[in-house]
Amino acid sequence: MNHNHSGTLKTKRSRRELKHAGFARRASAEGMVLLKNDRLLPLELPMSIALFGGGAVRTVKGGIGSGDVNNRESISIYRGLKTAGAVITSEDWLTDYENRYEAARTGWKEKVLEAARHVENPFDAYSANPFSMPEGRKIMPEDLENASAAVYVISRIAGEGKDRRKIEGDYYFSKKEWEDILDLDRAGIPIVLLLNVGAPIELTDVLQRAGNIKAVLNISLPGQEGGHAAADVLFGRAAPGGRLTATWARHYEDYPSADSFGYLNGNLETEEYREGIYVGYRYFDSFGIQPLFPFGYGLSYTDFSIEYEGLQRTERGMDITVTVKNTGKMYSGREVVQVYVTPPQTGCAKEYQRLVGFAKTNTLKPQEKQTLMISVDQSDLAGYSEQLRAWFMEAGTYGIWIGNHSASLQLAELFTVHKQTILEHAKGSCQPNAVMEEPGIAEFAKNKAGEWLLTAEEQKIPVSSFIPREERERIYQISPAEEPSAAELIPLLYGNITQGAGTLGSAGIRVPGSAGETTEALEEKYGIRSLIMADGPAGLRLRQSYEVDRKTNSVYGVGVLGALENGFFGRSRAS
């Protein structure tokens, strides 16, 4: 097949690439979550900073495997701070760490390539031997000389083939990280903890023991512009705009199923989700478990007020209006308004409260206001009954709560559903093959419901009626087409496969270097073109380069190892 190649021999960045890099930088800063700030951030330039941690020079931009993207380059925290104008006092420590990192990567590459010789699919060798970041040398007094603050980057690598684990150096701090943090704490220097992690880690003990940790910024997995974005936030050129999408527990044991989830019970074949409806914040809020950082939490460099303006009934729910004001005097910022509903604690088990809507303001200057409208659909208020096989709204009184995270809510209004109403019937297409014991009704949530109903009466919170409506049946029509034979359908199942490379991980050809594609076998007869596939959560993963046969103008296929880690393991041609 003749290809119009999308690639170029030019290495200069295109105008589009530069524009997208700027967008990635802004989006990264917008998603960073400020968890603690004891009047340290934003930092002021010019400033001398002692920078440590593996993620300082090798910032983890994203996940691995299907969580990876082969971008041109990634900006480290070190490079971001230097470009912003900071003076780094720990250059020797960072240079030493870079050497350790390169040695570790070389050894890892050799290990994976050797293991790949003994397995049918090379991806098995890759996933069985995940890379771990090396430890740095001991922090010395000269690394801190003339530094006004220390920035310590905690990084974790995770993704396809490398799940998070309840061990030191992963969910818990490693011994070396503890040693470094306590050494910095004893030095009396204010510490900024940067969390370069894709999911929670345990912070409770380290925050209690190291009193000089004055700020904690969760940069998460910040993408290719992460170093620039982190510098923008640290120096106040951008405000941290993110909010937590998960509850961070004080201790791992506070999570439901903590003792049996994943590998911890020795069973990797079957995972039983026994939390029922009490997932995430619903568990903590319904059973009175105090978290370290609640769901939806995130600080800013300024303060905001949120004023409830009222609600308007709609055909399928309600529109809630609030006014947000930046009450600070120095910094601009954005606020996230969150709307929760507390359902009646009667009948079947229900969580204490449920997020039903949220909205983010524009960037507000000091004393500036903005009015937001948040739409809530009746389906967001419903529960599911296995006995009825239906989504329904239970009769009773519901509360509407407004705030900026799940633990900061104020009761705004009540509404009453006078009659239980089925919104939508479902079909029992996937019946459970075993009975699992679930938590059931949460007594804490029932008692809390009695408290807020009494508070609403004392504060004369307005009450209105809400009449749910049964959902209209949705009918989907499929246009008939000529049916390919079973033999012709097989390529649709397997897709384009690089010869000798197995079915997993072969890079695409129509868009060279993509994570995969379906097949071109049906294009001539049926007009069905191949579909370019994204690779999991990271999106369309493309190799930086590809090779073409000059005689046939066809693209050489690439096996799984050639498609991973930006070609780190080397390229392989189809034979």
Side-chain angles (χ1 to χ4, degrees):
M1 177 172 289
N2 191 29
H3 293 271
N4 293 320
H5 300 296
S6 58
T8 177
L9 296 177
K10 299 177 181 178
T11 58
K12 183 180 179 181
R13 294 174 184 266
S14 67
R15 190 174 296 177
R16 180 179 66 176
E17 186 178 355
L18 292 171
K19 181 180 178 181
H20 286 187
F23 176 79
R25 179 173 179 169
R26 295 190 300 273
S28 180
E30 193 64 49
M32 293 181 180
V33 185
L34 183 60
L35 299 176
K36 177 181 179 179
N37 188 23
D38 190 4
R39 295 181 293 181
L40 178 60
L41 300 181
L43 304 173
E44 293 185 6
L45 289 169
M47 172 174 267
S48 295
I49 293 174
L51 178 62
F52 304 101
V57 289
R58 289 291 179 170
T59 308
V60 180
K61 74 175 190 302
I64 59 174
S66 64
D68 193 15
V69 169
N70 296 326
N71 55 308
R72 183 191 293 259
E73 67 172 342
S74 296
I75 308 300
S76 67
I77 301 298
Y78 168 71
R79 182 173 164 186
L81 295 183
K82 289 275 286 187
T83 303
V87 175
I88 305 300
T89 66
S90 53
E91 294 278 3
D92 289 345
W93 191 98
L94 297 170
T95 299
D96 179 82
Y97 186 85
E98 178 67 17
N99 294 334
R100 293 168 183 250
Y101 182 90
E102 290 294 344
R105 289 285 285 186
T106 299
W108 174 62
K109 178 180 180 178
E110 294 172 353
K111 183 178 182 181
V112 171
L113 291 177
E114 174 61 27
R117 297 176 55 231
H118 306 287
V119 293
E120 181 178 352
N121 194 312
F123 185 80
D124 294 337
Y126 173 77
S127 62
N129 297 280
F131 178 72
S132 295
M133 299 181 74
E135 294 181 342
R137 68 161 171 80
K138 183 176 178 58
I139 296 174
M140 307 300 291
E142 49 266 32
D143 298 321
L144 305 175
E145 191 173 346
N146 297 322
S148 299
V151 174
Y152 196 96
V153 187
I154 299 287
S155 294
R156 298 291 185 262
I157 295 175
E160 186 176 14
K162 191 178 192 296
D163 290 343
R164 297 288 307 279
R165 298 179 73 83
K166 186 193 172 192
I167 58 175
E168 293 179 351
D170 196 330
Y171 183 77
Y172 299 107
F173 276 36
S174 69
K175 289 184 174 63
K176 185 65 170 60
E177 288 167 340
W178 265 108
E179 176 187 317
D180 289 345
I181 292 294
L182 294 179
D183 282 348
L184 293 173
D185 187 60
R186 283 189 289 268
I189 189 170
I191 304 167
V192 180
L193 201 60
L194 292 191
L195 305 180
N196 179 207
V197 298
I201 61 174
E202 189 146 313
L203 295 173
T204 302
D205 292 342
V206 74
L207 292 180
Q208 289 176 347
R209 291 184 59 185
N212 281 311
I213 297 178
K214 300 299 183 182
V216 180
L217 178 65
N218 179 24
I219 68 171
S220 191
L221 304 178
Q224 69 173 47
E225 298 293 319
H228 287 324
D232 289 342
V233 172
L234 289 174
F235 295 120
R237 294 172 179 172
R243 302 295 183 267
L244 290 182
T245 57
T247 302
W248 287 44
R250 290 184 177 275
H251 299 286
Y252 177 81
E253 291 72 22
D254 293 339
Y255 290 110
S257 302
D259 59 344
S260 61
F261 185 74
Y263 72 96
L264 292 175
N265 63 357
N267 183 1
L268 293 176
E269 299 297 325
T270 303
E271 192 65 55
E272 295 184 352
Y273 293 89
R274 298 177 176 271
E275 303 98 320
I277 63 171
Y278 302 110
V279 177
Y281 71 90
R282 295 174 177 85
Y283 172 78
F284 286 81
D285 295 346
S286 299
F287 290 90
I289 309 298
Q290 185 70 28
L292 181 62
F293 300 116
F295 175 79
Y297 180 81
L299 302 174
S300 181
Y301 292 152
T302 187
D303 296 312
F304 299 91
S305 64
I306 302 173
E307 184 176 350
Y308 175 68
E309 303 288 356
L311 65 82
Q312 183 72 36
R313 301 292 180 208
T314 63
E315 183 179 355
R316 290 181 48 85
M318 60 189 72
D319 290 336
I320 295 171
T321 303
V322 298
T323 296
V324 182
K325 180 180 179 180
N326 180 347
T327 59
K329 298 180 179 180
M330 294 183 61
Y331 299 104
S332 300
R334 302 179 70 184
E335 179 63 291
V336 179
V337 179
Q338 302 170 34
V339 179
Y340 292 73
V341 161
T342 44
Q345 292 294 326
T346 55
C348 60
K350 286 183 289 295
E351 70 273 44
Y352 170 67
Q353 61 186 12
R354 177 189 309 174
L355 178 71
V356 294
F358 61 92
K360 197 169 193 176
T361 67
N362 300 328
T363 299
L364 300 180
K365 297 177 182 178
Q367 304 305 306
E368 187 177 2
K369 295 181 180 181
Q370 183 181 358
T371 298
L372 300 174
M373 186 177 71
I374 302 169
S375 297
V376 178
D377 192 273
Q378 65 175 11
S379 61
D380 298 323
L381 309 172
Y384 183 77
S385 169
E386 292 185 0
Q387 289 72 30
L388 297 173
R389 289 185 181 176
W391 294 92
F392 75 104
M393 281 194 68
E394 192 168 13
T397 300
Y398 295 70
I400 298 174
W401 301 72
I402 310 293
N404 58 8
H405 59 76
S406 63
S408 70
L409 306 175
Q410 298 295 320
L411 184 59
E413 190 160 330
L414 307 177
F415 66 87
T416 300
V417 174
H418 296 285
K419 180 182 178 182
Q420 178 174 297
T421 304
I422 292 179
L423 303 185
E424 185 176 9
H425 289 277
K427 296 180 180 179
S429 58
C430 186
Q431 296 299 313
N433 54 19
V435 178
M436 288 190 294
E437 183 180 349
E438 296 183 354
I441 295 175
E443 291 299 323
F444 181 85
K446 287 187 67 174
N447 296 334
K448 288 272 289 184
E451 293 175 9
W452 65 256
L453 285 170
L454 181 60
T455 300
E457 184 176 348
E458 293 173 348
Q459 296 180 356
K460 295 182 170 51
I461 300 294
V463 185
S464 58
S465 295
F466 180 77
I467 303 175
R469 300 186 181 185
E470 186 173 357
E471 301 279 351
R472 297 173 182 172
E473 185 178 3
R474 289 164 286 187
I475 300 175
Y476 302 95
Q477 294 182 343
I478 302 176
S479 301
E482 182 182 355
E483 288 289 336
S485 66
E488 291 173 318
L489 288 173
I490 289 176
L492 281 179
L493 173 64
Y494 282 94
N496 278 343
I497 302 172
T498 301
Q499 187 174 350
T503 61
L504 178 66
S506 297
I509 294 175
R510 183 179 291 275
V511 175
S514 61
E517 60 187 62
T518 55
T519 180
E520 300 162 347
L522 305 182
E523 184 169 346
E524 184 174 343
K525 182 177 180 179
Y526 295 101
I528 301 176
R529 299 188 63 184
S530 63
L531 297 177
I532 310 305
M533 312 301 288
D535 188 17
L540 191 61
R541 177 167 57 81
L542 300 175
R543 296 185 74 230
Q544 286 189 357
S545 62
Y546 61 94
E547 297 175 344
V548 176
D549 188 311
R550 292 182 183 273
K551 294 181 180 180
T552 63
N553 200 35
S554 59
V555 177
Y556 286 111
V558 177
V560 58
L561 287 183
L564 290 170
E565 301 279 341
N566 226 344
F568 176 68
F569 295 102
R571 301 169 184 153
S572 60
R573 291 186 177 184
S575 57

